Amino acid sequence: MSRRIAVVGAGMAAARLAQQLAAHAGPTETTLYGAEPHAPYNRALLADALAGRFRADALALPTGDAKVRTGTEVVAVDVRGRALTLADGSRETYDDLVLATGAEPVLPPLPGLADVKQAEGVHTLRSLADCATLARHADNATRAVVIGGGVLGVGTAWALAARGLPVDLLHRGPYLVERQLDSLAGAALRTALAGLGVTVHLGEHAPALDGGSGVTLTSGRRLDADLVVLTCGVRPRTGLARAAGLPVRRGVLVDDTLACAPHTYALGDCAEHRAAPYALATTAWEQADVLAARLSGADPEARYTGSRPLTRLTAGPVEYAAFGACYDAAEEGADVLRIGDATRGAYKKLVLRGDRIVGAVLVGDLATAGTLTRACLSGRPVGPDPLSLLTVPPSARVREESRP
């Protein structure tokens, strides 16, 4: 008989799991329960949709042969009884449960901001509904402020600038995207954004929002704006798991089988594996691949032992990729190669230990990103001329390596 797999959440991690379960063609029957009215979509492309590069329906993700129940919120989990309670009061039973509840936006500790919907002109960007609302308001706005200079903040600032708005981007850190980039890459990113009409304010945050008319900074300066977007990070959505008595620290605690209890698993943004929750799509996909192999019977011994950090943003002319140990603190005892062009906002860095790549950053030119990623993940030696990995296009390198 088919095993009934219930997946709470219908985001990117859930879609990948459903697709991989179908690919393995095991004896499984998968149902995705999503609170949003939309079928699974690529949340990483929301900034592109905001900029007008993609229609909402172009973000749809495949889900194999899974049954997708949109607009269906799960309000309680009975782990022992293997049953879900839905918002309409009905109950659904299952054989295996997967929590893929994702993450929710972090709101800064500002007066009166317990709920972003209560603040005039203030938005987050986490769903297609957020994107549609923000796009409508942007069409009637005159100036925007984005608070938070991480991956989402940079993408959102670019998207609003692409819609013709002057944008101020506030970031408390010393440089943009400091969790994935180094200081020189952050500076190159700032230069690229400046060319698009985005003014970056580092070491700043807004302790007060001025009723839809602007923000006041810690320095006392005031920025006029009739549109404010909060991109201050995300936190794992764990309310269901906590209420069900499952182990929760920051995220839902899982082992190398991605289990948090018998017949109960978690993956993606809501999961915490080996004390470090990840908010990266590549990590969610790797976890989904492992869990699909286990649940389908294709590889019952499959294990998830962690992921290497990998981030990539392509937002019009603003693009970067970073993977592995590429931040400043990782350079101790390593060989570092850098190429920079400050006038164009381009920067490349390769971090080597011995003859192995352990990290890389590319800003403004991603032509070699795929080659570098494969070299890092495979652990193969880089050869006598590692600088060529930053300067020679992959197609030229293939032709060169094929010569006798």
Side-chain angles (χ1 to χ4, degrees):
M1 295 179 60
S2 294
R3 291 191 63 78
R4 298 167 300 161
I5 300 174
V7 184
V8 181
M12 296 174 67
R16 177 73 176 196
L17 176 65
Q19 186 181 20
Q20 292 300 97
L21 284 168
H24 289 309
T28 57
E29 179 183 315
T30 308
T31 302
L32 274 54
Y33 296 87
E36 291 187 50
H38 306 282
Y41 57 89
N42 191 336
R43 205 178 302 275
L45 295 179
L46 284 175
D48 295 84
L50 177 61
R53 295 184 69 192
F54 297 114
R55 290 163 46 97
D57 54 8
L59 274 59
L61 294 172
T63 55
D65 55 5
K67 181 179 180 180
V68 181
R69 297 184 59 175
T70 58
T72 305
E73 182 182 3
V74 176
V75 297
V77 174
D78 178 358
V79 175
R80 290 189 176 183
R82 298 197 209 179
L84 307 176
T85 301
L86 308 184
D88 62 6
S90 62
R91 283 171 61 88
E92 299 288 345
T93 58
Y94 60 83
D95 296 310
D96 293 294
L97 172 67
V98 180
L99 296 174
T101 49
E104 58 192 0
V106 172
L107 301 183
L110 299 177
L113 200 63
D115 184 344
V116 70
K117 297 178 182 177
Q118 298 173 356
E120 180 184 354
V122 179
H123 302 264
T124 57
L125 183 57
R126 185 64 184 171
S127 68
L128 275 175
D130 292 339
C131 185
T133 301
L134 184 52
R136 288 196 303 270
H137 287 195
D139 288 339
N140 298 311
T142 58
R143 190 172 189 92
V145 169
V146 177
I147 301 177
V151 178
L152 180 59
V154 169
T156 302
W158 158 75
L160 292 172
R163 298 183 74 94
L165 282 175
V167 180
D168 288 291
L169 175 58
L170 311 184
H171 188 52
R172 299 184 69 165
Y175 55 89
L176 295 172
V177 200
E178 78 273 14
R179 292 188 179 182
Q180 283 88 32
L181 304 183
D182 67 4
S183 55
L184 293 176
L189 199 57
R190 183 179 184 179
T191 299
L193 287 169
L196 302 176
V198 177
T199 302
V200 176
H201 307 265
L202 297 175
E204 290 274 21
H205 70 283
L209 304 180
D210 302 333
S213 62
V215 300
T216 301
L217 308 183
T218 48
S219 61
R221 296 174 56 202
R222 188 178 184 282
L223 299 175
D224 292 330
D226 44 10
L227 183 66
V228 177
V229 187
L230 304 176
T231 57
C232 305
V234 296
R235 64 167 59 91
R237 189 176 282 116
T238 59
L240 270 179
R242 194 181 300 274
L246 296 171
V248 174
R249 192 156 46 207
R250 184 177 179 210
V252 183
L253 293 172
V254 297
D255 60 20
D256 287 0
T257 71
L258 297 170
C260 52
H263 303 286
T264 310
Y265 307 85
L267 78 168
D269 289 352
C270 73
E272 181 175 345
H273 175 265
R274 296 190 183 181
Y278 302 95
L280 302 174
T282 50
T283 298
W285 291 336
E286 290 173 6
Q287 292 174 345
D289 291 353
V290 168
L291 189 54
R294 291 185 62 85
L295 295 179
S296 67
D299 184 1
E301 301 304 315
R303 293 287 190 277
Y304 174 74
T305 56
S307 298
R308 296 194 181 190
L310 171 62
T311 59
R312 181 166 179 158
L313 173 71
T314 302
V318 179
E319 57 181 3
Y320 70 82
F323 59 87
C326 56
Y327 40 86
D328 290 339
E331 296 178 8
E332 185 176 351
D335 295 316
V336 181
L337 301 177
R338 290 187 177 91
I339 300 175
D341 185 341
T343 60
R344 295 192 305 112
Y347 172 74
K348 301 179 182 181
K349 180 174 84 169
L350 197 61
V351 182
L352 299 159
R353 291 193 180 277
D355 58 358
R356 302 295 197 275
I357 297 174
V358 295
V361 179
L362 304 171
V363 178
D365 179 6
L366 305 190
T368 59
T371 299
L372 288 172
T373 303
R374 288 189 293 272
C376 181
L377 294 177
S378 68
R380 68 173 184 266
V382 297
D385 185 19
L387 186 62
S388 67
L389 294 172
L390 297 178
T391 58
V392 181
S395 57
R397 189 175 303 113
V398 169
R399 290 195 299 271
E400 182 68 25
E401 291 176 351
S402 65
R403 292 179 181 178

